[in-house]
Amino acid sequence: MLEQTKVVMRLDGVPDHHRLDVYEANGGYAALRKAVKEMKPAEVIDEVKASGLLGKGGAGFPAGLKWSFVPKDHPGPKYLACNADEGEPGTFKDRWILEHNPHQMIEGCIIAAYAVGISHIYVYCRGEFYQGKEMIRRAAEEAYAKGYLGQNILGSGFSTELTVHTGAGSYECGEETALLTSLEGGRGHPKMKPPFPASEGAWRKPTVINNVETLATVPEIINRGAAWHAGLGTEKSKGIKMVCISGHVEKPGNYEVELGVPTLAIINDLAGGMKGGRALKGFFPGGSSTPVLPAAKADVGYDYESVAAAGSMLGSGALIVFDDKTDVVRMAEVITRFYTWESCGKCTPCREGTRWMLQIYERILKGGGRLEDVDLLLSICDHLEFKSFCPFGDAAVGVVRSTINLYRDEYEDYIRNHKVYKRKFMPVKH
Amino acid sequence: MDELRLNQELEKWVKERLPRYPTKRSLLVPTLLEAQKYHGHISPSLAEAIGALLDTTPRDVLSVASFYTLVHKHPVGKHVIQLCHNVSCFLNGCDDIAAYIEEKLGVKAGGTTEDGKFTFITVECLAACGSGPVMLVGEKLYENLTPEAVDRALAEAN
Amino acid sequence: MDGNGNNMVTLTINGMEVTVRAGTLLTDAAEQAGFKIPQFCAHRWLEPLGACRMCLVRIEKMPKLQTACSTVAQNGMVVTTESDEIKAAREAMLEFHLLNHPLECPVCDRGGECDLQDLTELHGCTTSRYVEDKMVRPDAMLTPYLHMNYKRCILCKRCVRYCEEITGSNLLKVNERGAWSHISNFGGGAKDYFSGNTIEICPVGAITSEVFRFRGRAWELTKTRTVCNQCSVGCAVEMHTRLGELMRVVPAPHSEVNDGHICDRGRFAYGYANNLPFKQPLKGKSGERREVSWEEAERTAAEMIHQVSEKHGANALGLIAGSGLTNEDYVAFRLIAHSHLGTENFFIGEGLIDVSANPLVLLHSLFFDSASISEILQSDLILAVGCDLVEEVPVLALRIKQALKNTSQKLIGLCAHEPRGYWDPQEHYCYEAGNFLAAADEIIRAIDSGETGGQWGGLVESLQKARTVAIVYGQDLLRHRYADRCLLALLKIKQAMYRWREAGGIERGHISLNPSLRSANATGALVMNNLEFLVNDEAKLPARPHATMRGLLEKAVAGEIKLLYLNGINPLMTFVDRSLVERALEAVDFLIVQDVLPNETTERADLVLPVSPWPCREGTYINFGWRLQKLHASDLVSNLPTDLEVWNRLLIKLGKGSHSISPARIFDEIARLVPAISHLTFDTIPEAGSVLGFQLDDEGARRVAEEVAKVQLDLTRYKRPEDYPLVLVQKLYLFRNSPRMRYSPKMDAATPEAVALMNPEDLSALGLADGAKAVIESRHGSIELALEGAAWVQRGSVIINNYLPEAPTNWLVSVDDEITFVRVRAAQ
């Protein structure tokens, strides 16, 4: 029976652990003390590097390595953008952290700031996270009052500020450079790389961007040591991961596991198995941007390399599970509409390609599909993939190509039989 | 175009936060959301006033405003209902809830009730996928929606 | 390193080794190697965007295709720009670009010069797989001149970036997001004098010219390179004609003057040339005027000239040639006036500056102190004195703005009003309206005393820090009686700086003084009017007492000049003192006016001789930066003769011999005589022109400095009379309501309002409201205008557009006044 390995969620169940006093009573801010009093900034970076901590926002990039890219001799200022723009469909772990365990995230932010020499932390929060923003604001206030933020933290001479900055409804702003553009007051368009944010980020200053969960893991790495963390998970995916499981399962929710555990165990042991006893048809391993995997591959190890080998991606850790009664064409249409409406519009292939695919889906669902539309969709995927300005274009391709490859017969069923999907309502762009 | 006087509370809010950023324009997106609380949607005259406060042009303000879903360029109802219609909520039956809300309020998705009380729109993932269907009414999140839960939520909005 | 000390890198493109300068983008490196990479959103003026994805190339060791427009060539890079993979990628990107593009080439103005057409032909496929509904949005006007067809827009955002990065107007922005993105002006209200350049850089037919709309197909147009005649910058432009009509004016390629940009006035105000009101000469005063044949007109002119000359002497003939004529016109004019007609009373130019007070120093400064445009753009400090750069020399203002981006160079303004909020300099200082001389005195004292506090401290500090300085001085100094003293004051400031440098043993470079003389070829006029100082001994140009416009007009009033022959000049509107002109025109027995368009002065003529317009001009201009450039005549159909032709026929009628009507021959004659031009012939003048080196040797410079030091400047601080407490500031606007604007279609939208601007506090002190109709009067005259409050107007001054046919400011000015004081009261 799969057990959880709670690190970020270690205080789950402890009432009010969003409060500073409760957090401290449960070991909170010990890591910060250790870092600023006993370790040099370079040592902190080395520790995080040695731990093998991978970014938890979707890209899985080694966090310590990212921190080390910031030029040490830069006169500053340097910034940390904590990416709390959780928008990947299926993902709801960061919101949990913001609302229930904000201090562990803030502590991680401050430790990161200390390690890299950052003078201002911006927590870029989705506009829709009204509760989350409020919790972080309150927690930051508490941290300031206690001297964990602001000038001369714990007498170390190190100072850093924290500001909660709101987004206003744009999925693309979760992409690190688009987040920076939004932070600077602009439209959420991604920036050209190089230069990379570590050398030229927000306001053209060195900027580290880390996901909420990544930062919330840092205090435990400092507390328990890099070796402890590196001992968890697999060879190439060290550590743990919060998994957000949703869809047709009995107990959807957030769980935290060692990387590498069998996905099926997450579904059955932690999430209570398929809802209503129905059969598993397929699943998105890491959010709507990751290609669908069939039930046959459900035992894949839940880690970056295994899921990649199976033909998908771990992504943000959003495990979306659907059963055998699911209309996958309609489901693919829902997701394609998401990409079309959320595309920032900067580059031509994504802007035009996503809308094209959506129009084809809408036509198929209206009974007007043609047999060549299936291969046309695949062709659009080939043309869009790896050619857009940012990974958004690649994300849009995932569901289309994988559902066609796995469930082509359902597409053809719609087309051959001029089947019409009975819409219960029609979404309208606001 | 009539000149608009920015609400004093709003101006105070902005000026308090400006020192936390290297440029004034950085505060634009948060200001747009905050300004909506006092002035409603972002009209051209509001854009001009915000632009003057943040050292940028009204065109820049409107262009940025038009990029973000939560920023309204046209008048909206007193309470904006945002129901997620993305994949996990779809798998959990958000379409039925959407149809229910349409019927209950007498407007189609995208519309505003005649009395101006509610604007109902369907939106993308609200990061509450484990408890779908979900919706925001104003700033409050309602999860595990059923028709009864919808009734309760709408009743709370006054 | 190459021979010039540039770092070089070597890379491989399609198997070929290429060596390029470090920092070169792959697109340029590939072009150097002979491979053209398709691009839509990239443009040499703009920062790379990487949005259209047309320029994707394969770079070894990089997993994904990369955009060549944003990748800098590195040593050892291995790049493939031609392969099946790249071919497929380009086809795919073009398919996306064409997806929502309407197939309306047959009705699109851009057809034949469209990047999308060209690239589709080269890289695209011939069929469309798109069967859905295209994104449709109705057309809109982004400005009165920019027609936006949204259906065609491929969202390359070049137009948005041009207005952000180049002109800084932020006129255009993107509205909404994703596939619903579209370019918007968000209700307008942003001024941009260069918006027309977005027509050129738009790679498709989305932004098109409203003035050129549906007037011709690109391949039917005959292109003729020439020089614009709308201001002294002298941008290189191309006239595009079709069936003998001028269809449009666009920037010419490869110009060091304007580098491919032109202002909207040069671009759009050309239509007058196609529909000239004058068809034949006109004889008789207004009221009894009739069209006559050229034969009769020339006979009449010859008769009158002969009569006056016989009865009163040759000096009773007064001849004036205004701006916009070519150097060849001016030389011919001089010779005809002086040698053939025998009069000393001729003048070339707009009568701006009277050098007679100190010709050595002033002429030396006008000729030798100025710099080329390149030198100005490289100066550490550019100081605009009494000159609103963007109104007077717009494209120079644009080039300065570009040159100063991301450098430590500075632009400082010194003028009689606060920054207007359009094209504001980085730093600004104010002198009291009308009192520049007093301010100059204070600045000189501050430099000499080494004091860096006080009102001018910052300016003096900037002057001290700058290695090279370019002072551009303009209409607020030049349009006054004391213009010559303003120039002397600037010379004294320059000498004070040189003294300070010498005292401190500080090595520094040139301080140039560059007059902004307003009109096209005003520099050429200046040269030709003072040719006797510039020719070699062989020329044998007879000396003459130096004439001024004022002098000629006064002689007319006094009855010494009996016949006035005006060429290409409208002194009723452009001379400082209208009543003097009125009296002069009244006094003469006969007035001949030779011009292109009707204006206030042609209305008074006894004989109007119409000539062909600018598109028919052939010859040379000298621009603001002393660059000599050729004008070429287009094939515009005009039955009217050129100025040279009219003068020549007149000479023949007078039996005074004849004169060449070939600009080339006339030029070659001047070149023989003027050392600065003697290395050129008309045919060998390069297409991009040639900067004339009027150089002063060290000895000459020393003598001039001595002269300047000797000059005692009268630096009276003018005191306001109690009954006329406001100073009149006449402001030059680019889009003034001149005949060229009035007779060109669709220029109403660009013409500024006829208002008098005052500081709002002065308005309320007078008890007058914004918009109130007022009488503005001086001791000499009055005009009526609506008032408008503007915070940037200095208290105690009134700013009025100096070219308002409905309320000419020169009614208020007397040629005797140093400054013009006025008062304002409500109109009845």
Side-chain angles (χ1 to χ4, degrees), chain A residues 334-410:
Chain A
V334 167
I335 294 171
T336 304
R337 176 171 295 108
F338 164 66
Y339 289 108
T340 307
W341 285 10
E342 291 296 325
S343 168
C344 79
K346 175 171 183 165
C347 76
T348 302
C350 169
R351 185 184 69 237
E352 303 292 332
T354 52
R355 181 169 172 268
W356 192 3
M357 293 196 291
L358 176 61
Q359 287 182 299
I360 296 172
Y361 273 106
E362 286 178 341
R363 185 163 46 80
I364 291 176
L365 291 178
K366 258 200 280 210
R370 312 163 303 169
L371 278 171
E372 62 255 48
D373 285 331
V374 186
D375 288 322
L376 178 57
L377 282 169
L378 288 178
S379 171
I380 298 171
C381 288
D382 287 340
H383 287 182
L384 180 45
E385 195 177 37
F386 302 142
K387 295 186 201 61
S388 47
F389 188 94
C390 82
F392 189 107
D394 306 333
V397 160
V399 68
V400 178
R401 190 191 274 143
S402 60
T403 53
I404 290 176
N405 287 338
L406 290 173
Y407 314 111
R408 184 183 268 259
D409 52 323
E410 293 196 35

Side-chain angles (χ1 to χ4, degrees), chain A residues 169 187 192 341-349 351-353 355-356 359-360 363 379 383 387-389 429, chain C residues 48-51 53 70 92-93 95-97 100 129-130 132-133 154-155 157 174 176-180:
Chain A
R187 297 161 58 87
M192 204 102 76
W341 285 10
E342 291 296 325
S343 168
C344 79
K346 175 171 183 165
C347 76
T348 302
R351 185 184 69 237
E352 303 292 332
R355 181 169 172 268
W356 192 3
Q359 287 182 299
I360 296 172
R363 185 163 46 80
S379 171
H383 287 182
K387 295 186 201 61
S388 47
F389 188 94
K429 212 166 160 302
Chain C
L49 189 64
R53 317 306 286 175
S70 63
M93 293 308 111
E95 181 176 41
F96 286 131
H97 276 95
N100 283 291
R129 302 186 293 175
Y130 188 72
E132 326 299 334
D133 288 336
I154 57 170
L155 285 167
K157 272 127 12 220
V174 182
E176 296 192 52
R177 100 188 155 201
W180 288 265

Side-chain angles (χ1 to χ4, degrees), chain C residues 227-245:
Chain C
V227 182
C228 179
N229 76 334
Q230 310 252 26
C231 85
S232 65
V233 174
C235 295
V237 297
E238 255 180 26
M239 300 179 285
H240 291 182
T241 49
R242 174 180 177 270
L243 300 179
E245 249 190 88

Side-chain angles (χ1 to χ4, degrees), chain B residues 95-152:
Chain B
D95 287 15
D96 292 312
I97 301 294
Y100 179 73
I101 296 174
E102 280 187 335
E103 202 205 336
K104 184 176 167 78
L105 294 180
V107 281
K108 290 276 175 221
T112 302
T113 55
E114 260 186 59
D115 60 4
K117 188 164 180 201
F118 291 110
T119 293
F120 169 49
I121 55 176
T122 60
V123 294
E124 307 304 340
C125 180
L126 292 172
C129 322
S131 42
V134 302
M135 71 181 181
L136 279 167
V137 180
E139 298 193 355
K140 192 144 184 246
L141 182 70
Y142 295 92
E143 301 168 81
N144 298 305
L145 291 175
T146 59
E148 297 74 36
V150 170
D151 290 340
R152 281 197 299 274

Side-chain angles (χ1 to χ4, degrees), chain C residues 278 566-570 593-599 602 608-612 640 643:
Chain C
F278 291 143
L566 305 177
N567 295 272
I569 188 166
N570 180 11
V593 180
Q594 182 168 317
D595 213 330
V596 175
L597 288 170
N599 56 44
T602 60
V608 176
L609 302 174
V611 288
S612 54
L640 298 171
D643 286 289

